[in-house]
């Protein structure tokens, strides 16, 4: 009897331990973000969003970095989405189960685990130097599209897998070809899951600094990039640059920049979750 | 005509799939190409045994050990914190929490991994280090402890989510048998479910380690730029990834030995993550078969 009581006590205590652990990370993040908002909110203004970077913290803004981030987002999406979705369709709908399929699968799982800084080295050597793009937007976007390609492929495959076979069989029974079935039945049915994956991967690209620094993106860009061949900076690099300055004013700028960056990443994640939930409901 | 179109489309899709293999080959090829040129000038033996890394100074040493120790130290701190917490979360969500709570909390936890790492770097340098300094006197402004702690928060969802998936995959009848014998939830989890899910849990930990080793901005911002062979978490260190960023920010001439150091450092980092990723892939295949 004594033992049973003890076991029940352990069982009950773990419940509290588990709740505590579940919230510790979230609570810490909330405290950190609270501090950032406290530090940076007063700096957020139209001036901050529309000013070029400057030597003086209170005159500096994130305009060029924001335009750079939008360019990067847009170009990366253009390169990564078609290739990622096509590769996933091939793997899920065409590839026969054989040795080669296995190699492709190991390879993609490996690519997903390659550190982002290594993609930076790849981009530096291939796009910046061999092709000769230097540190421009195109080189940065091509590098980031390689980085997010495995994420898009994995998410798209999951979405394709979730489409019921019934839909496929019905389409074939009506005489549709394989591609017609994919194009008109499978892809529309999987679109919610694919969109979720794409948004999450782009949100990842928006937050990346390391690979772009390696490729040669600049920390200080006093002009607005107007074509893919222009040099650029992005929000995370601008924030990094401000963090590494000694003046306290730049730390406040960094905090304000982080608020903007977090609003962008969190809203993208929120949209992705909403699409996923809506899609799941539809599938059930 | 229809058949031709189908064929062309299949070829196009196939080339996208092949593109992923080309990417891997390019990564390996480029790292090897530059690293081999590096090792023509610096003996591999020195690279692996010299205890100093000073390629940017006059007295040049090319020992990878200080960078490697910095990388492993920050990752070790992160895993040592994230593993018990992440596993507790996984157990709690799987065995104790109700379904609705689990469904709401999992995406929120995954948000921790979505925060850009430059933001975590700011947390480590501006918030965590000053807070720790107030009760650890003598702690340096750059150190591996703060970087490791913050990195732990970032990799937490890897461990908690993937471990929870592994626990979830354990067949219900194993657990029911345990309850039937009068075991509590705690006993069931630690004596039945976790042992049954162990390879899945190991996979989650390996992926988290791989992520921690390659993490760049947190350590570049908060851990310092002083390569040193130490296990002291309170002093500045430098990781492999932070070194690559440091060189990229400066203007090192192309085709110089200094330029090639980032590829030699990069291939070392790549070798570690490549090994970890392959082991985890292999383990995952193995346990998927177990309960398929």
């Amino acid at each position: 009897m004594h033992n049973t009581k003890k076991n029940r006590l352990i069982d009950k205590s773990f419940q509290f331990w588990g709740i505590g652990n579940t919230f510790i990370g979230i609570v810490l993040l909330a405290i950190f973000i609270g501090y950032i908002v406290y530090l940076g909110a007063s700096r957020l203004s139209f001036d901050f969003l529309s000013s070029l970077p400057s030597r003086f913290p209170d005159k500096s803004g994130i305009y060029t970095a924001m335009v750079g981030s939008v360019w990067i987002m847009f170009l990366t999406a253009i390169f990564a989405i078609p290739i990622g979705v096509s590769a996933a369709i091939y793997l899920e709908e065409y590839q026969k189960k054989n040795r080669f399929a296995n190699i492709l699968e190991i390879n993609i799982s490996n690519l997903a685990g390659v550190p982002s800084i290594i993609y930076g080295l790849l981009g530096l050597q291939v796009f910046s130097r061999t092709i000769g793009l230097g540190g421009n937007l195109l080189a940065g976007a091509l590098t980031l599209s390689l980085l997010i390609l495995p994420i898009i492929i994995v998410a798209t495959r999951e979405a394709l897998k979730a489409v019921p076979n019934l839909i496929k069989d019905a389409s074939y029974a009506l005489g549709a070809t394989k591609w017609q079935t994919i194009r008109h039945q499978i892809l529309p049915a999987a679109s919610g899951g694919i969109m979720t994956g794409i948004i999450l991967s782009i949100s990842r690209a928006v937050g990346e600094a390391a690979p772009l620094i390696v490729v040669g993106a600049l920390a200080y860009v006093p002009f607005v990039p107007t074509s893919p061949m222009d040099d650029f900076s992005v929000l995370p690099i601008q924030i990094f640059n401000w963090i590494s300055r000694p003046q306290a004013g730049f730390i406040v700028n960094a905090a304000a920049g982080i608020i903007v960056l977090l609003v962008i990443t969190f809203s993208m994640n929120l949209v992705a979750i909403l699409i996923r939930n809506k899609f799941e409901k539809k599938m059930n | 005509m229809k058949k031709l179109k189908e064929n062309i489309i299949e070829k196009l899709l196939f080339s996208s799939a092949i593109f992923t293999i080309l990417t891997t080959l390019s990564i390996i090829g480029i790292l090897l190409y530059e690293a081999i040129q590096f090792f023509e000038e610096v003996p591999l033996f020195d690279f692996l045994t010299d205890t100093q890394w000073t390629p940017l100074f006059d007295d040049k040493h090319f020992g990878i050990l200080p960078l490697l120790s910095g990388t492993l130290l920050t990752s070790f701190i992160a895993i040592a914190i994230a593993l018990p917490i992440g596993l507790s979360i996984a157990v709690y969500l799987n065995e104790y929490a109700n379904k609705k709570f689990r469904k709401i909390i999992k995406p929120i936890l995954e948000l921790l991994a979505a925060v850009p790492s430059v933001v975590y770097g700011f947390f480590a340098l501006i918030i965590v280090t000053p807070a720790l300094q107030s009760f650890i006197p003598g702690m340096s402004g750059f150190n591996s402890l703060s970087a490791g702690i913050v990195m732990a928060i970032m990799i937490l969802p890897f461990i908690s989510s993937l471990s929870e998936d592994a626990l979830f995959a354990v067949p219900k009848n194993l657990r029911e048998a345990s309850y039937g014998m009068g075991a509590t939830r705690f006993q069931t989890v630690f004596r039945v479910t976790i042992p049954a899910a162990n390879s899945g849990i190991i996979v989650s930990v390996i992926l988290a380690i791989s992520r921690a080793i390659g993490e760049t901005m947190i350590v570049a911002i908060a851990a310092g730029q002083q390569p040193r062979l130490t296990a002291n978490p309170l002093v500045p260190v430098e990781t492999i990834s932070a070194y690559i960023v440091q060189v990229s920010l400066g203007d090192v001439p192309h085709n110089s030995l200094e330029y090639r150091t980032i590829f030699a450092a990069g291939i070392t980092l790549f070798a570690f993550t490549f090994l970890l990723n392959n082991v985890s892939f292999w383990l995952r295949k193995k346990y998927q078969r177990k309960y398929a």
Side-chain angles (χ1 to χ4, degrees):
Chain A
M1 206 57 205
H2 178 73
N3 233 343
T4 314
K5 256 188 184 161
K6 201 177 90 188
N7 284 335
R8 288 217 179 116
L9 189 68
I10 295 176
D11 188 60
K12 203 75 198 155
S13 330
F14 190 85
Q15 179 151 22
F16 292 107
W17 170 256
I19 295 177
N21 278 296
T22 305
F23 283 104
I24 190 165
I26 299 170
V27 167
L28 279 175
L29 183 69
I31 293 174
F32 293 163
I33 292 177
Y35 182 75
I36 297 248
V37 171
Y38 159 77
L39 201 63
S42 59
R43 185 76 187 80
L44 275 181
S45 62
F46 181 72
D47 269 358
F48 182 70
L49 298 177
S50 62
S51 295
L52 305 179
S54 146
R55 280 189 298 128
F56 307 102
D58 50 341
K59 288 205 179 109
S60 275
I62 53 171
Y63 186 53
T64 52
M66 269 212 313
V67 175
S69 280
V70 172
W71 266 108
I72 282 287
M73 209 188 298
F74 180 68
L75 291 173
T76 304
I78 289 183
F79 299 132
I81 295 171
I83 299 182
V85 174
S86 307
I89 294 174
Y90 185 81
L91 290 171
E92 209 47 49
E93 305 294 336
Y94 288 86
Q95 179 64 51
K96 291 177 190 71
K97 288 235 174 300
N98 56 23
R99 221 187 139 82
F100 183 65
N102 217 8
I103 293 175
L104 278 172
E105 194 141 330
I106 298 178
N107 180 53
I108 287 167
S109 135
N110 253 317
L111 279 179
V114 171
S116 63
I117 190 108
I118 301 291
Y119 281 101
L121 290 176
L122 175 67
L124 169 69
Q125 196 72 350
V126 175
F127 305 127
S128 304
R129 302 208 46 222
T130 310
I131 301 182
L133 295 174
N136 68 17
L137 275 166
L138 192 57
L142 286 168
T143 306
L144 288 187
S145 37
L146 294 181
L147 172 79
I148 65 168
L149 204 54
I151 312 177
I152 296 184
I153 294 176
V154 171
T156 306
R157 286 189 68 181
E158 290 299 318
L160 293 173
K161 233 179 246 164
V163 176
N165 275 331
L166 275 174
I167 296 183
K168 246 187 264 183
D169 296 341
S171 172
Y172 286 136
L174 290 171
T177 64
K178 187 160 195 163
W179 175 245
Q180 286 169 334
T181 304
I182 293 170
R183 171 76 189 77
H184 298 289
Q185 306 303 330
I186 301 179
L187 279 182
S191 58
I194 297 175
M195 274 307 288
T196 306
I198 288 174
I199 295 172
L200 289 179
S201 69
I202 302 287
S203 132
R204 165 93 191 267
V206 171
E208 281 291 349
L212 295 178
I213 291 174
V214 178
V215 168
L218 303 174
Y220 177 74
V221 180
F223 56 85
V224 178
T226 51
S227 96
M229 304 311 272
D230 283 346
D231 285 345
F232 71 105
S233 187
V234 289
L235 267 179
I237 296 182
Q238 182 66 69
I239 292 166
F240 173 57
N241 176 256
W242 278 334
I243 295 175
S244 34
R245 303 268 196 103
Q247 299 100 308
F250 283 118
I251 295 300
V252 175
N253 281 4
I258 286 174
I259 298 175
V260 176
L261 182 61
L262 283 181
V263 167
I264 298 173
T265 24
F266 281 172
S267 24
M268 289 179 95
N269 275 272
L270 186 70
V271 170
I273 291 171
L274 290 179
I275 293 180
R276 185 164 58 196
N277 285 349
K278 199 178 156 195
F279 180 68
E280 265 171 14
K281 246 182 229 148
K282 210 169 102 190
M283 288 293 263
N284 295 330
Chain B
M1 192 57 205
K2 218 182 206 177
K3 188 125 200 211
L4 184 71
K5 190 183 158 202
E6 291 279 319
N7 263 330
I8 293 173
I9 286 171
E10 183 172 344
K11 291 279 172 333
L12 279 176
L13 297 174
F14 176 70
S15 53
S16 294
I18 288 297
F19 187 78
T20 61
I21 295 207
L22 277 179
T23 309
T24 308
L25 291 180
S26 315
I27 292 176
I28 297 175
I30 280 159
L31 290 176
L32 275 178
Y33 177 76
E34 293 288 330
I36 285 171
Q37 294 185 63
F38 172 82
F39 288 120
E40 275 167 7
E41 285 179 74
V42 177
L44 184 61
F45 184 76
D46 289 0
F47 183 72
L48 296 175
T49 57
D50 197 330
T51 55
Q52 285 184 68
W53 178 263
T54 54
L56 308 175
F57 295 161
D58 286 336
D59 177 27
K60 292 185 192 314
H61 287 272
F62 298 95
I64 193 71
L65 288 176
L67 292 182
L68 196 55
S69 74
T71 305
L72 296 179
L73 180 60
T74 47
S75 305
F76 175 78
I77 295 169
I79 299 293
I81 298 169
L83 179 57
I85 299 178
L87 208 48
S88 299
I89 296 174
V91 167
Y92 174 74
L93 292 182
N94 187 252
E95 196 70 21
Y96 289 81
N98 67 40
K99 261 196 191 136
K100 202 168 171 198
F101 179 75
R102 184 165 151 264
K103 197 172 152 41
I104 294 171
I105 206 76
K106 264 189 126 178
I108 296 179
L109 276 169
E110 274 156 29
L111 214 53
L112 293 178
V115 173
S117 62
V118 68
V119 177
Y120 276 119
F122 183 93
F123 294 153
L125 182 71
I126 308 291
I127 303 174
V128 177
T129 293
L132 290 176
Q133 274 172 331
S134 63
F135 54 91
I136 309 178
M139 185 187 200
S140 169
F142 296 105
N143 59 76
S144 39
L145 185 57
S146 304
I149 291 173
V150 166
M151 207 193 281
I153 302 176
M154 190 184 80
I155 61 174
L156 196 56
F158 282 83
I159 297 181
S160 65
S161 268
L162 293 175
S163 297
E164 209 270 324
D165 292 344
L167 292 174
F168 191 76
V170 173
K172 291 272 175 296
N173 54 17
L174 282 180
R175 287 160 63 191
E176 278 156 9
S178 170
Y179 290 137
M181 308 272 283
T184 63
R185 292 172 292 186
F186 184 81
Q187 288 168 325
T188 304
V189 165
F190 282 92
R191 301 203 188 150
V192 177
T193 325
I194 290 184
N198 61 6
S199 44
I201 292 170
I202 294 171
V203 165
S204 79
V205 176
I206 293 176
L207 287 178
I209 296 174
S210 163
R211 189 71 199 246
I213 288 179
E215 171 46 42
T216 305
M217 294 319 287
I218 296 178
V219 286
I221 291 170
Q225 296 190 339
Q226 295 177 29
R228 78 173 87 196
L229 194 53
T230 178
N232 182 354
L234 306 179
V235 296
V237 293
E238 184 163 50
T239 66
I240 294 177
S241 52
Y243 173 75
I244 298 174
V245 165
Q246 184 194 355
V247 172
S248 303
L249 286 170
D251 35 24
V252 168
H254 287 318
N255 282 325
S256 64
L257 183 60
E258 288 78 6
Y259 177 74
R260 290 195 182 106
T261 57
I262 63 176
F263 290 88
I267 202 168
T268 313
L269 178 63
F270 180 77
F272 271 86
T273 54
F274 189 76
L275 188 73
L276 289 170
N277 293 332
N278 275 295
V279 170
S280 76
F281 184 86
W282 179 76
L283 273 174
R284 196 163 51 211
K285 281 277 145 192
K286 210 174 131 188
Y287 88 79
Q288 273 171 357
R289 233 172 282 142
K290 203 160 130 197
Y291 295 119

